[in-house]
Amino acid sequence: MNITKKEIDKLNAVLTVEVSKEDYSVNVEKVLNNYRKTANVPGFRKGHIPMGMVKKQYGKAVLVEEVNKLLQDALHKYLTEEKLDVLGNPLPKNEAEINWDADDYSFEFELGLAPEFDVDVKDKEVVHYKIVADDELLNNQVKTIRKQYGKLISKNEVEKGDEITGTFTSEEKDIEKKTTVTTEDIAGKKQLASLIGAKVGDTVTLKTKGMFADDHDNQKFLGVEHDEAHGLDIEVSFKIEEVNKREMAELNQELFDKLFGEGVVTSEEELKTKIKEDAEGQFAQQSDQKLLNDVVDSLIENTKFDLPEEFLQRWIAMTGEKRLSEEDAKAEFERSEKGLRYQLIEGKLRAENNLQVTFEELKDHSKNMIKAQMAQFGQTNPTDEELESIAARILSNKEEVERLSEQLNSAKLLNFFKENANLKTKEITYDKFIKEAYA
């Protein structure tokens, strides 16, 4: 067997595989002999079928199968030994022209070659948001805690600050939703005026347009679908079933201990410090994800290289569950091109900067995850034998290994970008972050 490569250009090549009879004949004869021993043919005892009959009935199919096995093995070995970085898989070029009645064959395969390019993570500046919990957020969170741990006082008449439980109905939009709203949820002045002074048992008619500050609240309180929530402009009936005033909890040691454990927090100042730490820890995760997304988008946009587009479109057309038309294959390529480009960029970054995840790192990550989960249930000091045993079970699950590997891969890449990318740190409050980062 002989394999030669002819480069068409920097992104395309053709492999020619010459197969002679001596390459496949032994395997074909072996398979046919096994067929002869096991085949059931009327009029012949098992194992006594004439070889000529076996070859006539099975010879061509066995020949094709064995030659194809040789081809696959040879191609894999060649690509590995020559260290060819290919996209997709080799595509048969002349299979329709093969004369299977001959002894020797010449097969041609198209290759799509990975492009050569450089990645510069310092090329373009990317904003790295540092999200801080400002005084307004802290005060609102303290207020929320006091409400949550306060007590409800039943009333008969609605006043500002009350919680109202009732049922919204509308025949027009088929609405019947029991819910609890506060007067603070109501942004519309006319709607609020209609509710103030209403009593338990009353039914109030309200316009939905402008009733809430955010149209998404129409989903929450009225139960309509997302698309209907935007710009909803109808009248709804609201039957008041219960009115409560929430008396806020006192900021005392009993509340602090209930929230964080005995003696961990001893004052409102320490409470706000704890809230700030917890909030900014959560914000950091959102900031990190935003950073990762932004650096990835920047690299895709600014790392320029060509792809063997025509080859890839043919490969997409031929290798799916069903063969695609040229038009559909082109559309599919266009949909997946951005992802393919990033796969190549990420692969190069990982290879050049040793960012691959090792098994030991995977095991350590799983053990740390187990320790954190056990700590939530009061098991703060598990033995190494326990951790090893649980980690072994987790790592025997393919889906879990893939999930943990993805977590570690993302973490390694994020740390690499933090240390090497051209970042501009911007301190910002959470509300401004949401508006600016996801506008």
Side-chain angles (χ1 to χ4, degrees):
M1 186 181 296
N2 184 47
I3 301 180
T4 56
K5 178 169 74 77
K6 177 183 178 182
E7 285 197 1
I8 307 302
D9 54 43
K10 289 185 177 181
L11 297 174
N12 296 275
V14 173
L15 289 185
T16 302
V17 185
E18 303 287 349
V19 180
S20 63
K21 187 173 182 178
E22 64 184 23
D23 294 321
Y24 62 81
S25 58
V26 173
N27 288 344
V28 170
E29 288 296 323
K30 183 178 178 181
V31 173
L32 289 175
N33 277 322
N34 286 334
Y35 272 51
R36 185 185 182 198
K37 294 175 184 177
T38 58
N40 288 311
V41 178
F44 295 94
R45 285 185 296 151
K46 187 179 288 189
H48 290 78
I49 306 167
M51 181 55 80
M53 182 176 289
V54 173
K55 287 185 176 180
K56 183 177 180 181
Q57 187 168 351
Y58 303 109
K60 183 65 67 68
V62 170
L63 170 65
V64 172
E65 183 177 357
E66 291 303 313
V67 170
N68 279 322
K69 285 181 182 177
L70 282 175
L71 284 173
Q72 295 305 315
D73 291 344
L75 287 171
H76 176 73
K77 183 179 179 182
Y78 179 84
L79 295 177
T80 302
E81 290 179 348
E82 296 296 317
K83 297 180 180 179
L84 289 180
D85 194 2
V86 299
L87 303 179
N89 294 314
L91 288 180
K93 181 177 172 65
N94 67 330
E95 61 180 347
E97 303 168 11
I98 300 299
N99 177 14
W100 290 102
D101 292 325
D103 289 333
D104 300 332
Y105 314 105
S106 179
F107 299 90
E108 293 182 346
F109 294 89
E110 294 179 272
L111 295 182
L113 305 177
E116 293 184 4
F117 59 93
D118 294 318
V119 183
D120 184 3
V121 296
K122 295 183 181 295
D123 183 33
K124 298 293 181 180
E125 185 178 81
V126 176
V127 174
H128 184 199
Y129 292 97
K130 180 183 179 183
I131 309 171
V132 296
D134 60 354
D135 289 341
E136 182 180 357
L137 184 145
L138 297 177
N139 290 332
N140 286 338
Q141 190 60 34
V142 170
K143 185 178 179 181
T144 298
I145 290 172
R146 293 185 66 193
K147 282 185 175 181
Q148 182 180 350
Y149 287 90
K151 62 181 181 180
L152 291 177
I153 300 173
S154 180
K155 300 178 58 181
N156 187 55
E157 184 175 320
V158 178
E159 295 179 288
K160 281 189 176 182
D162 288 346
E163 296 181 8
I164 314 162
T165 298
T167 301
F168 282 108
T169 57
S170 165
E171 290 187 10
E172 179 183 347
K173 291 294 184 179
D174 195 27
I175 294 171
E176 186 171 352
K177 177 69 185 293
K178 184 171 181 175
T179 189
T180 297
V181 298
T182 71
T183 57
E184 294 172 352
D185 293 322
I186 307 299
K189 292 181 179 179
K190 290 183 178 179
Q191 293 92 328
L192 182 59
S194 297
L195 287 170
I196 299 298
K199 296 180 173 58
V200 174
D202 288 351
T203 298
V204 182
T205 299
L206 303 169
K207 286 186 175 293
T208 59
K209 185 177 181 180
M211 181 157 61
F212 303 112
D214 187 341
D215 277 355
H216 288 100
D217 283 344
N218 289 322
Q219 284 181 274
K220 176 181 176 182
F221 294 119
L222 303 181
V224 297
E225 297 295 327
H226 179 270
D227 291 343
E228 280 193 314
H230 289 277
L232 184 66
D233 187 6
I234 60 172
E235 284 190 347
V236 291
S237 296
F238 183 54
K239 184 175 181 180
I240 299 173
E241 298 163 11
E242 190 178 329
V243 178
N244 291 290
K245 178 181 179 180
R246 187 172 289 272
E247 187 177 273
M248 293 199 292
E250 291 185 24
L251 292 176
N252 55 28
Q253 195 60 47
E254 181 183 356
L255 178 61
F256 300 151
D257 291 347
K258 188 181 293 184
L259 291 169
F260 302 105
E262 188 173 349
V264 175
V265 169
T266 60
S267 67
E268 182 178 353
E269 183 180 353
E270 289 182 7
L271 172 63
K272 288 183 177 180
T273 299
K274 191 77 169 69
I275 293 171
K276 184 178 178 68
E277 289 174 357
D278 293 345
E280 291 183 353
Q282 294 177 19
F283 295 160
Q285 295 177 22
Q286 290 178 264
S287 172
D288 284 349
Q289 188 59 57
K290 175 65 176 169
L291 173 65
L292 189 59
N293 294 342
D294 287 349
V295 175
V296 166
D297 287 342
S298 176
L299 288 174
I300 292 172
E301 182 179 351
N302 296 295
T303 306
K304 305 298 184 183
F305 54 83
D306 292 326
L307 292 169
E309 294 187 12
E310 292 182 3
F311 167 83
L312 289 170
Q313 289 173 31
R314 288 195 297 276
W315 178 71
I316 289 170
M318 295 175 65
T319 57
E321 290 184 5
K322 62 178 182 179
R323 184 156 186 149
L324 299 180
S325 67
E326 185 176 325
E327 183 179 349
D328 287 342
K330 182 178 180 181
E332 181 61 31
F333 168 76
E334 290 172 351
R335 282 192 292 270
S336 59
E337 181 181 0
K338 184 176 179 180
L340 173 59
R341 288 183 176 276
Y342 182 63
Q343 283 181 15
L344 292 170
I345 293 169
E346 182 183 341
K348 190 173 183 67
L349 284 175
R350 290 192 184 282
E352 291 181 349
N353 298 281
N354 194 28
L355 299 177
Q356 293 87 351
V357 172
T358 67
F359 179 77
E360 285 303 313
E361 288 173 329
L362 197 60
K363 187 167 75 170
D364 288 343
H365 179 64
S366 64
K367 288 167 70 173
N368 289 332
M369 179 188 71
I370 294 162
K371 286 173 70 175
Q373 291 176 344
M374 293 177 77
Q376 292 178 357
F377 296 96
Q379 295 175 269
T380 56
N381 194 27
T383 66
D384 197 54
E385 288 78 12
E386 287 177 305
L387 294 174
E388 286 283 347
S389 175
I390 300 172
R393 288 202 301 273
I394 291 174
L395 297 177
S396 67
N397 184 309
K398 182 181 177 182
E399 291 181 357
E400 278 297 298
V401 169
E402 289 176 355
R403 185 179 68 83
L404 294 174
S405 296
E406 186 176 338
Q407 288 178 359
L408 272 181
N409 275 320
S410 293
K412 277 200 165 190
L413 208 56
L414 177 64
N415 289 334
F416 174 78
F417 289 151
K418 283 183 176 180
E419 293 172 4
N420 296 279
N422 182 6
L423 304 182
K424 175 187 176 183
T425 301
K426 182 173 184 178
E427 191 169 293
I428 194 169
T429 65
Y430 183 71
D431 286 342
K432 288 182 178 179
F433 168 74
I434 295 298
K435 290 177 182 177
E436 181 172 322
Y438 299 104

